[in-house]
Amino acid sequence: MKARVGGFTLLELLVALAVFAVLATLAYGSLARVLEGRDRLAARADALGRLQRVHGQLARDCSALVARPVRDELGDPEPALRRAPDGSLELTHGAFGNPLDRPRAQVQRVRWQVRGGVLYRDAWPVLDRVPGTRPQAQRMLADVRRFTVAIEAGADARAVRVQLDAPPFGAVEWLLPVPEDV
């Protein structure tokens, strides 16, 4: 009688391959779900970063409000802070850095406005405009469904209430204090 040589039978190899295939399929499915979750989380983190940048810039503009009315292109006076008839927010702020020490004003007139579903921050090169003066537009946030502004004045304080609706977070509301002496 011959001694049996050690090794695997074909049936044992097929069973081992089938078990490995099932485990690999399960592992791949789990990995795919983890990667999809990571991508969704990265997209939400990016969207939150954009929303925080908008809030930060708007809060800086409001907190640096200065009592400097301006004149529009037709020479009509506009207050330092106003909600325009189109729903936009216009204000004069003093947080206009000048790191290169160029000869220019230390205050700036800006407008926050939604155009075509995009929130823009427009900044004029001069305070008192003349016909033809165009602002520099900075795109702040896309897919904006709603942007409303209200200026609230109470006995104790004054603030700008902003309601913003944009995906993926939906409606948010900010109450941004402004200096009381303006």
Side-chain angles (χ1 to χ4, degrees):
M1 175 169 231
K2 289 186 175 182
R4 190 164 176 206
V5 178
F8 297 104
T9 66
L10 182 58
L11 182 59
E12 290 171 332
L13 284 175
L14 289 176
V15 168
L17 282 174
V19 168
F20 177 75
V22 168
L23 291 176
T25 302
L26 292 174
Y28 180 76
S30 297
L31 178 63
R33 283 192 298 278
V34 166
L35 293 176
E36 288 172 10
R38 181 195 66 175
D39 292 344
R40 280 194 311 271
L41 184 61
R44 283 186 71 85
D46 186 49
L48 180 60
R50 286 191 304 272
L51 190 63
Q52 287 175 330
R53 281 189 291 280
V54 167
H55 176 265
Q57 184 64 57
L58 188 54
R60 280 189 297 279
D61 285 351
C62 288
S63 67
L65 181 69
V66 293
R68 169 56 161 88
V70 298
R71 294 201 176 271
D72 68 8
E73 290 82 359
L74 301 175
D76 295 329
E78 294 181 354
L81 173 67
R82 82 177 190 124
R83 181 185 176 279
D86 64 2
S88 63
L89 174 68
E90 291 186 20
L91 60 95
T92 306
H93 72 90
F96 188 34
N98 192 2
L100 300 177
D101 201 29
R102 293 195 171 148
R104 64 167 171 77
Q106 297 296 314
V107 293
Q108 183 181 46
R109 185 68 172 193
V110 295
R111 172 179 60 203
W112 288 82
Q113 181 182 45
V114 173
R115 297 188 298 271
V118 177
L119 179 62
Y120 287 93
R121 180 182 182 266
D122 299 328
W124 278 273
V126 295
L127 292 177
D128 297 317
R129 303 183 294 268
V130 296
T133 304
R134 298 283 179 249
Q136 178 183 1
Q138 180 182 5
R139 186 182 172 111
M140 298 300 291
L141 191 63
D143 300 324
V144 175
R145 294 184 287 243
R146 188 185 69 190
F147 177 75
T148 57
V149 175
I151 299 171
E152 300 183 359
D156 299 346
R158 193 170 172 206
V160 174
R161 182 177 303 276
V162 176
Q163 294 176 332
L164 178 72
D165 187 356
F169 301 107
V172 295
E173 184 173 290
W174 300 317
L175 188 61
L176 307 168
V178 297
E180 294 180 27
D181 57 342
V182 179

